Coordinates of all heavy atoms in Angstrom, one line a residue:
E1788 N -12.4 -30.0 0.5 CA -12.5 -31.3 -0.2 C -14.0 -31.6 -0.5 O -14.3 -32.2 -1.6 CB -11.9 -32.5 0.7 CG -11.9 -33.8 0.0 CD -11.0 -34.8 0.7 OE1 -9.8 -34.6 0.7 OE2 -11.5 -35.8 1.3
G1789 N -14.9 -31.3 0.3 CA -16.3 -31.4 0.1 C -16.8 -30.7 -1.2 O -17.5 -31.3 -2.0
L1790 N -16.3 -29.5 -1.3 CA -16.6 -28.7 -2.5 C -16.1 -29.4 -3.8 O -16.8 -29.4 -4.8 CB -16.1 -27.3 -2.4 CG -16.7 -26.4 -1.3 CD1 -16.0 -25.0 -1.4 CD2 -18.2 -26.2 -1.4
V1791 N -14.8 -29.8 -3.7 CA -14.2 -30.5 -4.8 C -14.9 -31.7 -5.2 O -15.2 -32.0 -6.4 CB -12.7 -30.8 -4.5 CG1 -12.1 -31.6 -5.6 CG2 -11.9 -29.5 -4.3
M1792 N -15.3 -32.6 -4.2 CA -16.0 -33.8 -4.5 C -17.4 -33.6 -5.1 O -17.8 -34.3 -6.0 CB -16.1 -34.7 -3.2 CG -14.8 -35.2 -2.8 SD -13.9 -36.0 -4.2 CE -12.2 -35.5 -3.9
D1793 N -18.1 -32.5 -4.6 CA -19.4 -32.2 -5.2 C -19.2 -31.8 -6.7 O -20.0 -32.3 -7.5 CB -19.9 -31.0 -4.4 CG -21.2 -30.5 -5.0 OD1 -22.3 -31.1 -4.8 OD2 -21.2 -29.4 -5.7
A1794 N -18.2 -31.0 -7.0 CA -17.9 -30.6 -8.4 C -17.6 -31.9 -9.2 O -18.0 -32.0 -10.4 CB -16.8 -29.6 -8.4
K1795 N -16.9 -32.8 -8.6 CA -16.5 -34.0 -9.4 C -17.8 -34.8 -9.7 O -17.9 -35.2 -10.9 CB -15.6 -34.8 -8.5 CG -14.9 -36.0 -9.2 CD -13.9 -36.7 -8.3 CE -13.2 -37.8 -9.1 NZ -12.2 -38.5 -8.3
E1796 N -18.6 -35.0 -8.7 CA -19.8 -35.8 -8.9 C -20.7 -35.2 -10.0 O -21.4 -35.8 -10.8 CB -20.7 -35.9 -7.6 CG -20.2 -37.0 -6.7 CD -20.8 -36.7 -5.3 OE1 -21.8 -36.1 -5.1 OE2 -20.1 -37.1 -4.3
K1797 N -20.7 -33.8 -10.0 CA -21.6 -33.1 -11.0 C -20.9 -32.9 -12.3 O -21.5 -32.1 -13.2 CB -22.1 -31.8 -10.3 CG -23.0 -32.1 -9.2 CD -23.5 -30.9 -8.4 CE -24.4 -31.3 -7.3 NZ -24.4 -30.2 -6.2
G1798 N -19.7 -33.4 -12.5 CA -19.1 -33.4 -13.9 C -18.1 -32.2 -14.2 O -17.9 -32.0 -15.4
A1799 N -17.6 -31.5 -13.2 CA -16.6 -30.5 -13.6 C -15.3 -31.2 -14.2 O -15.0 -32.3 -13.9 CB -16.2 -29.7 -12.3
T1800 N -14.6 -30.4 -15.0 CA -13.3 -30.9 -15.6 C -12.2 -30.6 -14.6 O -12.0 -29.4 -14.3 CB -13.1 -30.3 -17.0 OG1 -14.3 -30.4 -17.7 CG2 -11.9 -30.9 -17.6
F1801 N -11.5 -31.6 -14.2 CA -10.3 -31.4 -13.4 C -9.1 -31.1 -14.2 O -8.6 -32.0 -15.0 CB -10.1 -32.6 -12.5 CG -11.0 -32.6 -11.3 CD1 -12.4 -32.5 -11.4 CD2 -10.5 -32.8 -10.0 CE1 -13.2 -32.5 -10.3 CE2 -11.3 -32.8 -8.9 CZ -12.7 -32.6 -9.0
C1802 N -8.5 -29.9 -14.1 CA -7.3 -29.6 -14.9 C -6.0 -30.2 -14.3 O -5.0 -30.3 -15.0 CB -7.1 -28.1 -15.1 SG -8.5 -27.4 -15.9
Q1803 N -6.1 -30.6 -13.0 CA -5.0 -31.3 -12.4 C -5.7 -32.4 -11.6 O -6.9 -32.4 -11.3 CB -4.2 -30.4 -11.4 CG -3.5 -29.2 -12.0 CD -4.5 -28.1 -12.3 OE1 -5.5 -28.0 -11.7 NE2 -4.1 -27.2 -13.2
E1804 N -4.9 -33.4 -11.2 CA -5.4 -34.4 -10.3 C -5.6 -33.8 -8.9 O -4.8 -33.1 -8.5 CB -4.4 -35.5 -10.3 CG -4.9 -36.9 -9.7 CD -3.7 -37.8 -9.5 OE1 -2.6 -37.6 -10.2 OE2 -3.8 -38.7 -8.7
Y1805 N -6.7 -34.2 -8.3 CA -6.9 -33.7 -6.9 C -6.0 -34.4 -6.0 O -5.9 -35.7 -5.9 CB -8.4 -33.9 -6.4 CG -8.5 -33.6 -5.0 CD1 -8.4 -32.2 -4.5 CD2 -8.8 -34.5 -4.0 CE1 -8.5 -31.9 -3.2 CE2 -9.0 -34.2 -2.7 CZ -8.8 -32.9 -2.3 OH -9.0 -32.6 -0.9
K1806 N -5.2 -33.7 -5.2 CA -4.2 -34.3 -4.3 C -4.3 -33.6 -2.9 O -4.3 -32.4 -2.9 CB -2.9 -34.2 -4.9 CG -1.8 -35.1 -4.2 CD -0.5 -35.1 -5.0 CE 0.6 -35.7 -4.1 NZ 1.9 -35.4 -4.7
R1807 N -4.3 -34.4 -1.9 CA -4.3 -33.8 -0.5 C -3.4 -34.7 0.4 O -3.6 -35.9 0.4 CB -5.7 -33.7 0.0 CG -5.8 -33.3 1.5 CD -7.2 -33.3 2.0 NE -7.2 -33.1 3.5 CZ -8.3 -33.2 4.2 NH1 -9.5 -33.4 3.7 NH2 -8.2 -33.0 5.6
E1808 N -2.6 -34.0 1.2 CA -1.9 -34.7 2.3 C -2.1 -33.9 3.6 O -1.5 -32.8 3.7 CB -0.4 -34.8 2.0 CG 0.0 -36.0 1.1 CD 1.5 -36.0 0.7 OE1 2.3 -35.3 1.3 OE2 1.8 -36.6 -0.4
G1809 N -2.8 -34.4 4.5 CA -3.1 -33.7 5.7 C -3.9 -32.4 5.4 O -4.9 -32.5 4.7
N1810 N -3.3 -31.3 5.8 CA -4.0 -30.0 5.5 C -3.5 -29.4 4.2 O -3.8 -28.3 3.8 CB -3.8 -29.0 6.6 CG -4.4 -29.5 7.9 OD1 -5.2 -30.4 7.9 ND2 -3.9 -28.9 9.0
L1811 N -2.6 -30.1 3.5 CA -2.0 -29.6 2.3 C -2.8 -30.0 1.1 O -2.9 -31.2 0.9 CB -0.5 -30.1 2.2 CG 0.4 -29.5 1.2 CD1 0.5 -27.9 1.3 CD2 1.8 -30.1 1.2
I1812 N -3.3 -29.1 0.4 CA -4.1 -29.4 -0.8 C -3.4 -28.8 -2.0 O -3.0 -27.6 -2.0 CB -5.5 -28.8 -0.7 CG1 -6.2 -29.5 0.4 CG2 -6.3 -28.9 -2.0 CD1 -7.7 -29.1 0.7
W1813 N -3.1 -29.6 -3.0 CA -2.4 -29.1 -4.2 C -3.3 -28.2 -5.0 O -4.6 -28.3 -5.0 CB -2.0 -30.3 -5.1 CG -0.6 -30.9 -4.7 CD1 0.5 -30.8 -5.5 CD2 -0.2 -31.5 -3.5 NE1 1.6 -31.3 -4.9 CE2 1.2 -31.8 -3.6 CE3 -0.8 -31.9 -2.3 CZ2 1.9 -32.4 -2.6 CZ3 -0.1 -32.5 -1.3 CH2 1.2 -32.7 -1.5
P1814 N -2.7 -27.2 -5.7 CA -3.6 -26.2 -6.5 C -4.4 -26.9 -7.5 O -3.9 -27.8 -8.2 CB -2.5 -25.3 -7.1 CG -1.3 -26.1 -7.1 CD -1.3 -27.0 -6.0
L1815 N -5.6 -26.5 -7.6 CA -6.6 -27.1 -8.5 C -7.4 -26.1 -9.3 O -8.0 -25.2 -8.7 CB -7.5 -28.0 -7.7 CG -8.5 -28.9 -8.4 CD1 -7.9 -29.9 -9.3 CD2 -9.4 -29.6 -7.3
L1816 N -7.4 -26.3 -10.6 CA -8.3 -25.5 -11.5 C -9.4 -26.4 -12.0 O -9.2 -27.4 -12.5 CB -7.4 -25.0 -12.6 CG -8.1 -24.0 -13.6 CD1 -8.3 -22.7 -12.9 CD2 -7.2 -23.8 -14.9
L1817 N -10.6 -25.9 -11.7 CA -11.8 -26.7 -12.2 C -12.5 -26.0 -13.3 O -12.9 -24.9 -13.2 CB -12.8 -26.9 -11.0 CG -12.3 -27.7 -9.8 CD1 -13.4 -27.6 -8.7 CD2 -12.0 -29.1 -10.2
D1818 N -12.5 -26.7 -14.5 CA -13.1 -26.1 -15.7 C -14.5 -26.6 -15.8 O -14.9 -27.6 -15.2 CB -12.2 -26.4 -16.9 CG -12.6 -25.6 -18.1 OD1 -13.4 -24.7 -18.0 OD2 -12.1 -25.9 -19.2

Side-chain angles (χ1 to χ4, degrees):
E1788 186 164 294
L1790 294 181
V1791 170
M1792 291 309 140
D1793 175 76
K1795 190 175 184 179
E1796 276 163 30
K1797 292 175 182 158
T1800 307
F1801 280 53
C1802 299
Q1803 299 79 22
E1804 195 189 335
Y1805 173 66
K1806 193 172 164 195
R1807 171 181 171 186
E1808 274 172 20
N1810 299 342
L1811 190 60
I1812 294 178
W1813 269 249
L1815 183 61
L1816 185 70
L1817 295 174
D1818 193 6

